[in-house]
Amino acid sequence: MSGRDVEAPQRLRAERERKREQRLARKEELKLARRRSDGRHGDGSRGGHKKLTAKQILGSIAFTMAIFLLITFYWICVFYLTDWLYAYWQKRPAEVVAQLINSVGGMLLWGVTMSILGRFFRNKQMEFYKTLIEAMRRMARGDFNVNVEVSPPNGAFNEIVHSINYMATELGQLEQMRQEFISNVSHEIQSPLTSISGFSRALQNEQLSPDERQHYLTIIETESMRLSKLSDNLLKLSSLESKHHPFELRSYRLDKQLRNHILACEPQWVEKDIEMDVELDEVMITADEDLLSQVWTNLIHNAIKFAPQGGVVGVKLSSGENETIIRISNNGEPIAEEDLPHIFERFYKGDKSRNRTQGGNGLGLSIVKKIIDMHQGSVSAESDGQKETCFIVRLPHVEQGLKV
């Protein structure tokens, strides 16, 4: 059981990193293709008109001259053909009628040529349309590995091609995120279930001592609570991401709320002999008090949980001109630099917090970020690798345009 439990998270993280690199590479390829196409087609604009490149101007002039020369050639052909017919029949109409016949004949030849060319180009255009339709049908079937080629003849539709490719990339990323989510949930559920199943079978051994039996029952209870907490966090995150979650703004003293949370955690920081470094300015804030309460509970509990015995946990509150800043820090083991950009992702856990005795499931910080985003604020983490790790929450003042 222990070997699989140690290796599974490592495999999951390696797979997640590989998929993330693939998504980034796909995005870079799409951006590069768009830049190349923009360069070819002169997408820069001024005054609402597209700039034409020298190549496009020369192409337009050459096309116009080709049409003129072709019409002239047809008119000359008709002129000599009718002249030969007049000589053969030994009859010649009036000059005006002869010129009219020549003009109509030239235009008929021109029309036949354009009809043939139009059919040829229309077939190529239909192939292009069929390619777009097939790409959209593949995406409708769930196949997002779509990349429609951008070609110069379809310049007017290249923006549509870029949009389809971009949509395929984004939908592909969503599908990968969905698969990763299912994989992570399955792992988080399977681990405690494996423990519960294993220790339940062990309890059937009648030769167990009372202490061993109590130890196994404690593990089963812990794993059951872990499953319950995972279920609660999944429901909470799902509710926050829906547009129906209550979001009630009201003005209240943020410093009092933080102080109450610190006092509520007193048994935890007293047990570890932690020094609480608290600096709270008097700050009034307009926000959803219940939602922010979940933020402070998560961040302060984490700071205490990962602080060393006899360590220091800091909680500082200050108010600037445009925002309120909350810093929650500890002097525990630093977060690895490669983990910092990902710690707010669902189920992402650094190596040290993979320790099952810590009881984390990788959803707490995702909930924190979602709540702060709902308040149009930001949350970030800093770790200098030696002294302390600090989580910084920035909340805009209500006059800065906070909207529900």
Side-chain angles (χ1 to χ4, degrees), residues 70 101 136-137 193 231 244 260 273 280 296 307 310 337 389:
L70 191 60
I101 291 173
M136 288 185 280
R137 284 176 177 171
L193 285 179
S231 174
H244 306 292
N260 290 337
D273 194 24
L280 304 177
W296 314 135
E337 185 177 353
T389 297

Side-chain angles (χ1 to χ4, degrees), residues 305-318:
K305 181 167 65 176
F306 295 112
Q309 187 75 25
V312 178
V313 169
V315 181
K316 299 181 180 181
L317 169 65
S318 61

Side-chain angles (χ1 to χ4, degrees), residues 97-135:
V97 176
Q99 292 295 336
L100 182 60
I101 291 173
N102 291 342
S103 299
V104 172
M107 295 306 296
L108 282 174
L109 286 177
W110 165 256
V112 171
T113 303
M114 289 298 101
S115 176
I116 296 172
L117 291 176
R119 184 180 296 274
F120 172 75
F121 286 112
R122 185 164 58 251
N123 288 339
K124 295 205 69 171
Q125 199 71 38
M126 286 303 298
E127 291 178 6
F128 173 70
Y129 292 148
K130 288 178 180 178
T131 302
L132 293 182
I133 293 171
E134 178 60 23

Side-chain angles (χ1 to χ4, degrees), residues 20-268:
R20 184 180 296 108
E21 290 175 1
Q22 289 178 347
R23 291 198 300 267
L24 291 175
R26 183 75 183 275
K27 273 192 171 182
E28 289 301 320
E29 289 176 3
L30 192 59
K31 289 179 181 177
L32 184 59
R34 178 170 291 187
R35 287 196 208 104
R36 287 174 179 170
S37 176
D38 290 346
R40 284 198 301 265
H41 300 291
D43 286 342
S45 60
R46 179 178 296 173
H49 300 284
K50 290 184 176 180
K51 293 180 180 178
L52 296 177
T53 63
K55 185 177 179 180
Q56 288 175 317
I57 294 173
L58 290 176
S60 299
I61 294 174
F63 181 73
T64 304
M65 290 183 64
I67 293 177
F68 175 76
L69 291 174
L70 191 60
I71 292 176
T72 303
F73 173 75
Y74 285 150
W75 188 85
I76 292 173
C77 289
V78 172
F79 174 79
Y80 282 108
L81 177 63
T82 55
D83 189 62
W84 179 80
L85 289 173
Y86 297 153
Y88 179 78
W89 290 333
Q90 296 181 354
K91 289 183 180 180
R92 186 176 183 87
E95 190 65 25
V96 174
V97 176
Q99 292 295 336
L100 182 60
I101 291 173
N102 291 342
S103 299
V104 172
M107 295 306 296
L108 282 174
L109 286 177
W110 165 256
V112 171
T113 303
M114 289 298 101
S115 176
I116 296 172
L117 291 176
R119 184 180 296 274
F120 172 75
F121 286 112
R122 185 164 58 251
N123 288 339
K124 295 205 69 171
Q125 199 71 38
M126 286 303 298
E127 291 178 6
F128 173 70
Y129 292 148
K130 288 178 180 178
T131 302
L132 293 182
I133 293 171
E134 178 60 23
M136 288 185 280
R137 284 176 177 171
R138 285 174 59 186
M139 287 190 287
R141 292 193 297 265
D143 179 9
F144 304 115
N145 190 24
V146 172
N147 186 25
V148 182
E149 184 179 354
V150 178
S151 55
N154 302 310
F157 299 94
N158 279 345
E159 190 61 33
I160 296 177
V161 173
H162 284 310
S163 299
I164 289 176
N165 288 339
Y166 181 76
M167 179 172 63
T169 301
E170 293 298 311
L171 289 174
Q173 291 179 11
L174 287 175
E175 177 63 16
Q176 287 184 353
M177 290 172 62
R178 185 185 70 84
Q179 293 176 358
E180 289 178 12
F181 178 77
I182 293 174
S183 175
N184 287 326
V185 170
S186 299
H187 171 73
E188 292 293 334
I189 291 176
Q190 186 62 36
S191 294
L193 285 179
T194 301
S195 296
I196 292 172
S197 175
F199 288 112
S200 296
R201 286 195 300 270
L203 286 173
Q204 297 175 13
N205 185 355
E206 297 180 356
Q207 298 179 356
L208 288 177
S209 66
D211 290 341
E212 288 176 324
R213 189 175 298 276
Q214 183 60 42
H215 176 64
Y216 291 165
L217 287 172
T218 301
I219 293 176
I220 291 175
E221 182 183 13
T222 301
E223 295 299 330
S224 300
M225 291 175 62
R226 183 180 170 197
L227 275 176
S228 177
K229 185 177 179 182
L230 173 62
S231 174
D232 181 62
N233 282 340
L234 283 172
L235 290 173
K236 189 180 297 181
L237 191 57
S238 175
S239 176
L240 289 171
E241 290 181 342
S242 72
K243 296 188 178 178
H244 306 292
H245 189 86
F247 188 66
E248 301 175 357
L249 299 178
R250 74 177 191 87
S251 296
Y252 68 95
R253 286 273 299 275
L254 180 58
D255 56 303
K256 287 187 176 181
Q257 185 185 39
L258 286 169
R259 187 173 289 107
N260 290 337
H261 275 276
I262 294 170
L263 293 175
C265 296
E266 184 175 2
Q268 288 80 29

